[in-house]
Amino acid sequence: MFGVNDAQPPQAKKQSATRWVLTLVPTILILFLLLRSLSPGQFVAALRDMRLEYFAAMTLLHVGLIFFFTPAMWRLILRFYDCRTPYWPLTAVWIGSTSLKVLIPLKLGRLLGVAYLARREKLPGAQGVSSLLLLHFINFFTLFVYLAVGLWLTPGMRLPFALPLTLALPAIVALLPSLGALAGPLGRLHPRLGKLTTDLVSAFAVIPLGKRFALVGLISLVHGANIAKVALALAATGASVSTPALFLYSPLVYLAANLPVTWMGIGAREATMVYFFQSFAPEANLLAAGMLLSLGSEIVTLLLSLPLLPKAIAAGLLPVKESA
């Protein structure tokens, strides 16, 4: 089936293991260097004084966003492909595939959902991948929406940075379907870049312009929860951050965490929290806040998703009669 193989070839397994090691090493190194710069007492005190209610609220917010809202948005995108799959089975596959991020980089574990749609809904694999790519692109795009808000709220950033970004964002949404000509030049740089551009352009072209803006607006609005998650993590360790800084720096924290250079973003998330918010709280508190964000956003959801992993694998890989 498109995008998912029943068995990985030895070379693919070797490459996956190599990527896993290459992301784990920077994670350990960054955390070691951050902890080394602190006295043990400072960090222990920051953890000891943690407000558990803020951490619990942050974790519940993330679970709701990732486990329930995001598959609902994917299902909404799938309607433009004339695919009306039931919400709960798709959500179960989505939740189960979350745990695969430990072993499979770049969110490729989500291809189990593509395989599920191909088997159960007869959705062509190319359309499944295209819809999933569009979902991830819009999720990524929302970070720049909130970055623009932060720039507008920050004195001295409005005309040189906020205005150009604000003008560029709707232009990208409107004009992306007409940028298919870029696939050729990008493909010459790397074949996957050309294919990625073609898939993204075709995905945007499926959705009419007005509904395209409505979809991006809806997802951007709900993804304000990401800003709230950073605020709750900081509040849990007693850090008080201004609203402009929260909107300006939180998207940069998420952008760094999404780079495929550390294991599940751990390390990159903590380092950027310490760097960007250093004028608002002691380094020990910011490091603790970054670790809480990683714990609630990655580790907890990873553990919660494990019970549904067998169901996700069965739905994506087993014949319909066996997974019904």
Side-chain angles (χ1 to χ4, degrees):
M1 185 54 60
F2 184 90
V4 179
N5 296 323
D6 291 341
Q8 281 188 312
Q11 184 64 25
K13 291 181 179 179
K14 183 178 179 180
Q15 290 176 352
S16 179
T18 301
R19 292 192 192 101
W20 189 81
V21 171
L22 289 176
T23 57
L24 189 61
V25 170
T27 295
I28 295 173
L29 180 61
I30 292 171
L31 292 178
F32 171 75
L33 292 174
L34 289 172
L35 289 168
R36 189 183 180 186
S37 66
L38 301 173
S39 70
Q42 290 176 311
F43 185 64
V44 170
L47 291 177
R48 185 184 61 236
D49 298 334
M50 177 185 68
R51 300 282 299 273
L52 287 175
E53 64 271 25
Y54 288 121
F55 172 69
M58 180 204 70
T59 303
L60 289 173
L61 192 60
H62 181 77
V63 168
L65 179 66
I66 298 301
F67 280 1
F68 301 105
F69 172 77
T70 304
M73 289 301 97
W74 189 20
R75 185 169 177 265
L76 182 60
I77 291 172
L78 287 168
R79 292 178 69 89
F80 293 102
Y81 294 84
D82 293 322
C83 178
R84 289 169 170 77
T85 188
Y87 172 73
W88 287 112
L90 181 66
T91 299
V93 174
W94 181 273
I95 294 174
S97 67
T98 299
S99 56
L100 292 177
K101 69 170 66 177
V102 178
L103 300 175
I104 304 176
L106 302 176
K107 304 183 186 295
L108 294 180
R110 298 299 187 195
L111 290 176
L112 274 178
V114 175
Y116 162 77
L117 292 169
R119 288 173 179 268
R120 302 289 300 202
E121 306 295 337
K122 308 304 180 185
L123 181 72
Q127 291 186 9
V129 171
S130 182
S131 66
L132 186 61
L133 180 63
L134 179 58
L135 174 66
H136 285 308
F137 176 84
I138 296 176
N139 288 342
F140 187 74
F141 185 87
T142 62
L143 297 178
F144 291 93
V145 172
Y146 284 101
L147 179 60
V149 173
L151 289 169
W152 278 111
L153 293 174
T154 305
M157 295 284 189
R158 292 166 185 166
L159 285 179
F161 299 108
L163 182 59
L165 182 58
T166 303
L167 294 174
L169 291 175
I172 291 172
V173 174
L175 299 176
L176 192 60
S178 64
L179 299 180
L182 293 176
L186 291 174
R188 284 192 287 272
L189 291 175
H190 195 289
R192 289 185 181 178
L193 281 177
K195 181 66 167 60
L196 189 68
T197 304
T198 301
D199 288 343
L200 187 58
V201 166
S202 64
F204 259 88
V206 167
I207 304 177
L209 181 61
K211 293 181 178 180
R212 200 182 307 153
F213 275 103
L215 181 65
V216 172
L218 174 62
I219 295 178
S220 297
L221 182 65
V222 178
H223 271 264
N226 284 323
I227 308 298
K229 281 160 46 187
V230 174
L232 288 168
L234 290 165
T237 60
S240 179
V241 177
S242 68
T243 300
L246 194 61
F247 277 90
L248 182 62
Y249 297 133
S250 295
L252 299 177
V253 170
Y254 285 108
L255 286 170
N258 276 285
L259 294 174
V261 294
T262 58
W263 185 64
M264 298 197 300
I266 299 173
R269 192 178 290 107
E270 288 76 4
T272 48
M273 289 282 284
V274 170
Y275 178 78
F276 288 121
F277 295 111
Q278 58 185 301
S279 61
F280 296 96
E283 184 177 337
N285 295 65
L286 296 174
L287 177 56
M291 287 186 168
L292 291 179
L293 191 59
S294 290
L295 179 62
S297 299
E298 301 296 340
I299 306 302
V300 171
T301 50
L302 172 67
L303 295 175
L304 289 176
S305 69
L306 282 174
L308 285 176
L309 177 59
K311 181 178 179 65
I313 293 175
L317 300 180
L318 294 181
V320 172
K321 63 180 181 180
E322 294 183 43
S323 57

